[in-house]
Amino acid sequence: MEENGRKKIILTGDRPTGRLHVGHYAGSVKRRVELQESGEFEDIFIMIADAQALTDNADNPEKVRQNIIEVALDYLSCGLDPSKSTLFIQSQIPELTELTFYYMNLVTVSRLQRNPTVKNEIKMRNFETSIPVGFFVYPISQAADITAFKATTVPVGEDQLPMIEQTREIVRSFNHIYGEALVEPDVLLPDNKACMRLPGIDGKAKMSKSLNNCIYLSDTEEDVRKKVMSMFTDPNHLKVEDPGEVEGNPVFIYLEAFCRDDHFQRFWPEYENLDQLKAHYTRGGLGDVKVKKFLNQVLQDELAPIRARRKEYEKNIPEVYRILQEGSQKARKVAARTLADVKAAMKIDYFEDEELIQSQAQRFQA
Ligand code: TRP
């Protein structure tokens, strides 16, 4: 559980602005469960980032509040296990806000303006000239989230890379000025390329609630089937005999992300693996409906146990809130220890520093 004498610790999370979809699952939640089961990590912290969600939803607290329980249910039903991973809510850890305030001194406005994720989101939200300050500085608060838990490992999707880079800069700068109090984290990206960025069912680059192109983890079996059967494929593959394009074809990207050879054995023994299926599709003579039916079977196979676990937790919602409360209490203790280290390093621990009081007393007696 140690690397170079450091304990391996995970911190990651999601903004509660909607239910989680299969893009979240493929890109990160599934991996977290594998990491949780690997036994390689001393501690795993999974955060519902409500404070960050409020940075661009300040006028809609109810949306954030409603989605906290949705995301928690999604986590638990995917197999995140509160006895192995600490699930908590960001806003319940005031230490994170305090750390953010001190880290702000280590980051320039122009550095934030250059952060590609922030730049992109400002464009997407049409903020341009009216960017909320809280939103603008959220990369700094994200650095607080990560460092508060002395995380060594941050498993996230590719879009979060600039955030981790910004965190590493803050850590280096803090440690340089104040002494080694913080841990520089490493990012852990999905190892399957298709999982990195699952497109929407309409073929658009990203699944997004506003585009109405997501398959949600909490969708019913029938919803999933309908969505898969309506998926965008190769627009030039009009007749079954036509050669088809697998590159950039959402149906094949999803298969790339989810199907295993045993799915072929169980559901479509005509092919041994995805390569054979792709070869047939590329050659021509394979209709989209057949491929979609197979994708539906693969997805249902993956989602059925998730759906079943969700049903169980839905019967006991107060218990889910209790899990989050206990997780938040534990997370708070850890963050408080880091904040104490940070304040000592920054020399703002006046009342904890007996030596300071004594030496000042002497100075004024002399
Ligand atoms: N920015 C992440 C998202 O958009 C959520 C998040 C907040 C996060 N703080 C984090 C992720 C720290 C990893 C580490 O969902």
Side-chain angles (χ1 to χ4, degrees):
M1 280 194 255
E2 294 193 7
E3 202 166 69
N4 314 322
R6 286 195 318 199
K7 288 183 198 160
K8 286 176 74 182
I9 296 170
I10 286 180
L11 176 114
T12 186
D14 301 277
R15 295 181 197 180
T17 51
R19 295 180 284 156
L20 299 185
H21 50 61
V22 295
H24 293 114
Y25 179 69
S28 119
V29 182
K30 188 178 180 180
R31 183 74 174 287
R32 293 180 203 167
V33 177
E34 288 163 8
L35 294 168
Q36 169 188 274
E37 299 307 323
S38 75
E40 265 185 64
F41 296 89
E42 187 86 6
D43 257 319
I44 300 179
F45 295 94
I46 311 285
M47 179 181 76
I48 301 182
D50 63 336
Q52 191 176 101
L54 285 166
T55 65
D56 64 328
N57 287 283
D59 56 353
N60 204 351
E62 194 54 33
K63 167 172 147 192
V64 174
R65 186 182 173 87
Q66 294 298 331
N67 281 305
I68 285 184
I69 189 73
E70 292 286 353
V71 172
L73 283 167
D74 285 328
Y75 284 166
L76 292 165
S77 50
C78 286
L80 288 173
D81 174 349
S83 73
K84 298 175 183 163
S85 298
T86 305
L87 308 182
F88 72 97
I89 305 181
Q90 186 183 30
S91 63
Q92 304 307 298
I93 322 295
E95 287 77 6
L96 298 177
T97 321
E98 228 177 307
L99 287 171
T100 303
F101 190 73
Y102 297 125
Y103 295 171
M104 283 187 187
N105 302 332
L106 306 174
V107 181
T108 63
V109 170
S110 67
R111 175 63 182 88
L112 285 172
Q113 280 165 335
R114 279 198 316 270
N115 183 309
T117 311
V118 175
K119 248 172 138 171
N120 195 18
E121 287 178 324
I122 287 173
K123 225 194 278 155
M124 265 167 41
R125 287 167 180 71
N126 296 320
F127 278 156
E128 262 105 45
T129 53
S130 57
I131 309 164
V133 174
F135 176 81
F136 186 60
V137 302
Y138 93 74
I140 305 177
S141 106
Q142 195 151 334
D145 302 336
I146 295 169
T147 53
F149 300 94
K150 300 205 156 73
T152 55
T153 313
V154 186
V156 281
E158 202 185 20
D159 63 314
Q160 294 294 306
L161 255 174
M163 296 296 153
I164 315 306
E165 200 35 60
Q166 182 118 46
T167 300
R168 292 167 61 93
E169 286 175 31
I170 290 173
V171 170
R172 286 198 287 266
S173 151
F174 185 100
N175 287 348
H176 177 72
I177 300 171
Y178 303 114
E180 297 282 320
L182 301 178
V183 175
E184 204 173 315
D186 289 316
V187 70
L188 190 61
L189 294 173
D191 41 18
N192 174 332
K193 241 177 104 198
C195 288
M196 285 254 220
R197 206 173 276 162
L198 218 53
I201 56 172
D202 56 357
K204 297 234 168 72
K206 236 181 136 170
M207 266 191 230
S208 123
K209 195 175 45 193
S210 49
L211 294 174
N212 198 16
N213 63 358
C214 309
I215 298 178
Y216 292 101
L217 292 171
S218 49
D219 276 346
T220 63
E221 187 175 342
E222 183 52 19
D223 287 340
V224 174
R225 195 191 60 80
K226 277 198 203 135
K227 288 181 182 178
V228 171
M229 296 316 287
S230 75
M231 257 174 98
F232 182 85
T233 66
D234 171 7
N236 299 317
H237 188 233
L238 298 172
K239 288 188 252 105
V240 172
E241 315 84 77
D242 292 340
E245 178 65 75
V246 295
E247 204 61 41
N249 181 333
V251 174
F252 281 91
I253 298 174
Y254 279 44
L255 284 173
E256 201 77 73
F258 292 105
C259 93
R260 302 181 305 263
D261 292 355
D262 73 272
H263 288 129
F264 284 98
Q265 286 155 30
R266 287 155 61 207
F267 305 131
W268 210 359
E270 266 175 65
Y271 306 93
E272 278 173 32
N273 54 41
L274 189 56
D275 285 340
Q276 286 185 0
L277 182 71
K278 280 184 177 173
H280 191 176
Y281 190 85
T282 310
R283 228 170 28 240
L286 177 57
D288 283 315
V289 171
K290 280 190 174 173
V291 186
K292 286 179 177 175
K293 279 189 174 157
F294 176 61
L295 172 61
N296 179 53
Q297 286 173 304
V298 169
L299 277 180
Q300 301 291 357
D301 187 59
E302 192 79 25
L303 297 178
I306 297 176
R307 214 175 275 136
R309 238 176 277 136
R310 195 178 224 273
K311 278 254 143 21
E312 288 308 305
Y313 279 110
E314 281 175 354
K315 287 183 201 152
N316 201 350
I317 294 295
E319 164 71 9
V320 177
Y321 279 104
R322 239 205 36 238
I323 290 169
L324 295 174
Q325 188 178 14
E326 276 175 15
S328 300
Q329 282 160 354
K330 176 177 170 190
R332 189 162 182 200
K333 281 192 193 128
V334 177
R337 253 180 272 138
T338 303
L339 179 63
D341 294 347
V342 161
K343 288 173 103 171
M346 292 180 71
K347 300 184 174 296
I348 53 176
D349 58 340
Y350 314 111
F351 309 131
E352 271 75 44
D353 190 349
E354 202 44 47
E355 217 172 286
L356 167 75
I357 299 166
Q358 292 306 327
S359 66
Q360 292 296 348
Q362 269 169 23
R363 184 161 78 90
F364 284 96
Q365 251 134 50

